[in-house]
């Protein structure tokens, strides 16, 4: 009669893989944010071009994004500004 004992190695691998993906997504978002901030400070003409790449040509999305950035500059919390951005997008989609 043969048997095998595993001491939880499978559970550890799943956590590591999930954490790695989340870490990669977080680092990608942080790098994109830093890149856009640097471009907006150093190369003002490139800001418009970058906005076209990151935000599709739809005017409501650009308007909602500009409102969100203005809210962040005025001191509104990130959570509240992002919530307002999402609500604006959803309401615009309902009217179409």
């Amino acid at each position: 009669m043969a048997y095998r004992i595993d001491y939880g190695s499978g559970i550890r691998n799943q956590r590591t893989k999930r954490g790695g993906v989340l870490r990669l997504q977080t680092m990608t978002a942080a790098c994109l944010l830093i890149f856009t901030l640097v471009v907006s400070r150093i190369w003002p003409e490139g800001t418009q071009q970058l906005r076209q790449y990151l935000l599709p040509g739809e005017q409501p999305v650009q308007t909602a994004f500009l409102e969100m950035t203005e809210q962040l500059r005025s001191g509104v919390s990130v959570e509240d500004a992002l919530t307002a951005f999402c609500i604006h997008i959803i309401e615009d989609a309902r009217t179409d």
Side-chain angles (χ1 to χ4, degrees):
M1 175 187 259
Y3 64 93
R4 178 178 165 185
I5 299 174
D6 285 331
Y7 292 103
S9 62
I11 294 171
R12 178 176 287 165
N13 288 339
Q14 288 177 349
R15 284 187 197 154
T16 305
K17 288 179 184 176
R18 251 186 283 152
V21 171
L22 181 60
R23 185 176 302 138
L24 178 64
Q25 291 172 345
T26 304
M27 292 298 289
T28 302
C31 288
L32 183 62
L33 178 64
I34 291 169
F35 176 73
T36 55
L37 290 174
V38 168
V39 167
S40 67
R41 297 286 183 211
I42 295 175
W43 188 31
E45 299 84 23
T47 303
Q48 193 67 8
Q49 183 112 16
L50 189 60
R51 186 174 289 142
Q52 290 297 325
Y53 286 126
L54 295 177
L55 298 172
E58 301 174 15
Q59 186 63 30
V61 175
Q62 291 180 1
T63 303
F65 183 76
L66 291 174
E67 287 176 8
M68 183 180 73
T69 56
E70 288 300 319
Q71 288 176 349
L72 290 172
R73 287 182 183 152
S74 67
V76 175
S77 70
V78 173
E79 182 181 350
D80 291 341
L82 189 59
T83 301
F85 172 78
C86 293
I87 289 171
H88 189 278
I89 298 297
I90 291 170
E91 287 177 352
D92 184 65
R94 287 182 182 165
T95 60
D96 287 342

